[in-house]
Amino acid sequence: TSLAFAQETTGAIQGVVTDASGAAVKGAKVEASGATLIRTMTATTDTEGNYIFQSLPPGTYTITVTAQGFSTAKQENIALVV
């Protein structure tokens, strides 16, 4: 009998975009950038403000959110460790 083990080599960043009152922001553009990416990744929030970036390599990321009628929000130095 033999056993096989798998090791994950990627991770995910997910979140929820809300306004100052806590209401979900639908259709916001969310960008993930970092030195380990070939290009910036883009997602759009769903009706509940959710977004997810899957299969990201380990590294440090910046998440930038833009939505019509809102100021741009940016969160830097997000460490993704797998």
Side-chain angles (χ1 to χ4, degrees):
T1 310
S2 62
L3 295 174
F5 293 96
Q7 181 175 346
E8 291 293 326
T9 59
T10 62
I13 296 175
Q14 64 184 30
V16 180
V17 178
T18 58
D19 65 15
S21 71
V25 178
K26 174 187 173 187
K29 179 181 176 183
V30 185
E31 295 181 333
S33 59
T36 58
L37 293 177
I38 296 171
R39 61 175 174 76
T40 298
M41 306 213 32
T42 304
T44 303
T45 58
D46 64 14
T47 57
E48 296 177 354
N50 297 304
Y51 69 88
I52 187 166
F53 295 101
Q54 297 179 345
S55 301
L56 296 174
T60 303
Y61 292 89
T62 297
I63 300 295
T64 305
V65 180
T66 55
Q68 187 173 2
F70 294 93
S71 299
T72 299
K74 183 182 282 192
Q75 188 170 0
E76 300 177 309
N77 297 317
I78 300 169
L80 179 63
V81 180
V82 291

